[in-house]
Amino acid sequence: MSPPVRVRFAPSPTGYLHIGGARTALFNWLFARHHGGTFILRIEDTDKSRNTPEAMAAIYDGLRWLGLQWDEGPQAGGDFGPYFQSERGEIYERALRKLQQSGYIFGDAGALRFRSPREHVIVHDLVAGDIDFDLTNPETHPDMTIRRADGSWIFHFVNVVDDIEMKISHVIRGDDHLSNAPKHIELYRALGAEPPQFAHIPLIHNQNGTKMSKRDQGAAVSYYIDHGYLPEAVVNYLCLLGWSPKDDRQKMSIDEVIRDFTLNNIVKGEATFDPAKLRWLNGEYARELPFDRFFSLGIESLRRAGVPIENFSEEYLRAALKTCETKIAVFDELQTYAGFYFTDEITYPPEAATKQFTPENLPRLQAVRNAFARLTTFDAANIESALRKTAADLGVKLGFLVHPTRLAVTGSTAGPSLYHLLEVLGREKVLSRIDRAVQQM
């Protein structure tokens, strides 16, 4: 009988949560959920000089936003906290003594080093296959330090000790760690432990083929939180970076992915991050949102953009955002798409103004203004009827009225349904904006 599946995500709190790290966490979480196993969060914080509270918060916030809750750890306020390596010193000391007693440790300028057995190590990788690493040459593979002269621990040692102590069954991580695997296997064997199964997944690259670095826009999970992406869309997209469901599916529920997720479907080639595809996929999810959630996310996005939400009634806000439902792909588009609802400082793009605010359109806009002023009920149906009748009276196509009216009232050539946005703005504001546009023509 196979041992239970136990996997971990082990980030260092030295910067923001990288999208590649989030993908690694996701794959571990999916693997655990697929097999009914355990997903552990372990914070590798032994390098105190580089750790920051902001980076720690970014890890928690990012994982929770993505829905990747961990299953085990010290109890903290009713929830599981993560494991912190900085709190596990006694465990590492115990493992060190075991290696010292077995003759594996020697000192070098105050640091402690692990004496390599000098052998070939075959890494049986579930993605990359079997790889033979020749560790016999000390020039190319020097004995690794496991403890610095200042007493701090090196990643390789504590990583292996923790994986042994936590009974990790599978190590799923980026393939930039593949070269570390043979060193770690040496430590497992020296500590008398069976190595876990390894699965090194392809790194995420930009469309130009370069590795996605911290300097690239969109490399941080916080970018997607701040720009109004939906976590379910980001998770869906990350699933497709390095993993394939073996069919043409793009949009998948998390339950579908959990059901189908296996390491056999990990793609060996590099994973290319396509921002346009993610934006498209986010739009697919956004169009299916219940309005209450669309509204709350929209309000949150507008608030981040500096819109004084508190100056408007909830009735007005809901009516305004209702006209935007199913129309945007990402919530950071909302301010551009519908900002005219929340300001009277309407500006006109020069090119659009040149095209629409012409001498021919001046009497047309005045006629529209007069038709709106005569309406007894200023709602979408009556607004549409008034525009159509005015166009017929003037002997022009409806578009000759719609386009200059939209520009006059919103400062844009595109946006929500004209008839409905005019109803939301109300007669007084609409007439005032048309008057202002007419004065500039």
Side-chain angles (χ1 to χ4, degrees):
M1 183 177 179
S2 301
V5 166
R6 291 174 60 82
V7 294
R8 47 68 169 180
F9 176 52
S12 298
T14 56
Y16 58 73
L17 179 59
H18 190 275
I19 200 74
R23 195 272 308 261
T24 297
L26 172 62
F27 279 18
N28 277 277
W29 184 87
L30 288 168
F31 188 72
R33 292 295 175 267
H34 178 82
H35 291 282
T38 301
F39 172 64
I40 293 169
L41 175 61
R42 188 174 75 218
I43 305 297
E44 298 191 338
D45 60 341
T46 55
D47 190 349
K48 296 185 184 301
S49 64
R50 299 179 62 213
N51 300 336
T52 68
E54 294 78 13
M56 200 84 75
I59 293 170
Y60 301 154
D61 293 345
L63 292 180
R64 286 173 174 146
W65 183 75
L66 292 167
L68 307 182
Q69 183 59 47
W70 50 97
D71 304 314
E72 181 180 301
Q75 201 75 15
D79 296 320
F80 288 124
Y83 290 103
F84 293 95
Q85 287 187 332
S86 59
E87 299 174 355
R88 297 170 62 80
E90 290 183 10
I91 295 171
Y92 307 142
E93 294 283 2
R94 190 163 59 243
L96 173 61
R97 287 194 295 270
K98 185 172 183 178
L99 291 180
Q100 287 172 325
Q101 291 165 4
S102 302
Y104 281 105
I105 302 299
F106 68 97
D108 181 17
L112 296 180
R113 288 179 173 270
F114 174 78
R115 182 176 284 107
S116 171
R118 298 293 161 208
E119 58 190 358
H120 281 260
V121 175
I122 297 177
V123 176
H124 302 287
D125 193 88
L126 297 173
V127 175
D130 290 351
I131 304 175
D132 186 342
F133 288 89
D134 182 1
L135 306 187
T136 59
N137 187 346
E139 295 296 322
T140 56
H141 291 87
D143 294 317
M144 62 179 151
T145 300
I146 66 170
R147 194 171 194 174
R148 301 180 184 91
D150 64 4
S152 60
W153 301 101
I154 295 293
F155 151 78
H156 300 290
F157 177 64
V158 292
N159 182 280
V160 167
V161 172
D162 279 338
D163 284 348
I164 294 171
E165 291 287 323
M166 295 177 182
K167 297 181 172 57
I168 298 301
S169 64
H170 295 75
V171 170
I172 304 170
R173 58 190 179 186
D175 61 15
D176 53 334
H177 284 287
L178 183 56
S179 61
N180 293 328
K183 305 174 189 176
H184 294 178
I185 288 173
E186 286 190 326
L187 284 171
Y188 282 109
R189 291 171 177 170
L191 288 166
E194 185 70 24
Q197 296 189 67
F198 290 98
H200 289 89
I201 58 181
L203 298 182
I204 297 176
H205 287 70
N206 295 307
Q207 290 180 294
N208 62 7
T210 60
K211 177 183 172 184
M212 198 172 194
S213 74
K214 292 184 176 182
R215 294 181 299 274
D216 294 319
Q217 183 179 19
V221 172
S222 58
Y223 174 89
Y224 303 97
I225 300 175
D226 295 340
H227 285 75
Y229 282 76
L230 298 168
E232 56 267 41
V234 175
V235 165
N236 188 157
Y237 184 67
L238 288 179
C239 289
L240 301 174
L241 288 178
W243 175 80
S244 170
K246 299 303 182 186
D247 55 33
D248 293 330
R249 280 178 295 162
Q250 299 292 313
K251 185 172 181 290
M252 296 173 286
S253 70
I254 194 63
D255 289 337
E256 287 181 87
V257 180
I258 290 172
R259 181 195 67 204
D260 296 340
F261 189 86
T262 69
L263 297 177
N264 293 333
N265 288 3
I266 299 290
V267 180
K268 293 184 179 181
E270 66 184 37
T272 301
F273 192 91
D274 183 350
K277 184 175 180 180
L278 171 55
R279 201 172 188 92
W280 165 80
L281 188 59
N282 199 85
E284 295 296 299
Y285 278 92
R287 278 186 280 277
E288 296 177 354
L289 288 176
F291 180 67
D292 282 347
R293 187 173 175 214
F294 181 90
F295 175 73
S296 64
L297 291 172
I299 291 298
E300 182 182 329
S301 179
L302 291 171
R303 187 176 285 117
R304 280 199 305 268
V307 174
I309 298 299
E310 64 280 358
N311 294 347
F312 303 92
S313 70
E314 181 171 347
E315 180 183 10
Y316 179 83
L317 292 169
R318 292 183 74 87
L321 265 62
K322 188 68 177 177
T323 67
C324 306
E325 191 179 22
T326 77
K327 305 296 185 182
I328 59 172
V330 180
F331 279 91
D332 70 351
E333 296 175 354
L334 197 56
Q335 169 64 359
T336 300
Y337 187 77
F340 64 86
Y341 281 125
F342 312 108
T343 180
D344 289 323
E345 300 300 319
I346 301 299
T347 58
Y348 312 114
E351 186 177 342
T354 299
K355 183 177 180 180
Q356 299 299 338
F357 293 168
T358 62
E360 294 83 6
N361 278 343
L362 174 58
R364 294 167 183 167
L365 259 184
Q366 290 172 324
V368 169
R369 193 253 188 231
N370 294 335
F372 286 167
R374 290 192 298 268
L375 287 176
T376 55
T377 303
F378 199 74
D379 61 15
N382 284 299
I383 290 168
E384 181 178 2
S385 295
L387 274 172
R388 291 187 180 279
K389 183 178 186 305
T390 303
D393 291 344
L394 294 174
V396 297
K397 293 181 178 179
L398 184 62
F400 284 98
L401 303 185
V402 166
H403 299 309
T405 301
R406 178 185 291 279
L407 183 62
V409 173
T410 71
S412 177
T413 58
S417 160
L418 178 63
Y419 312 126
H420 293 88
L421 75 83
L422 293 175
E423 177 183 341
V424 173
L425 286 169
R427 185 203 314 266
E428 182 180 345
K429 192 170 289 189
V430 168
L431 296 182
S432 172
R433 292 185 182 185
I434 293 176
D435 287 342
R436 183 173 158 216
V438 165
Q439 289 169 8
Q440 297 186 31
M441 292 173 69

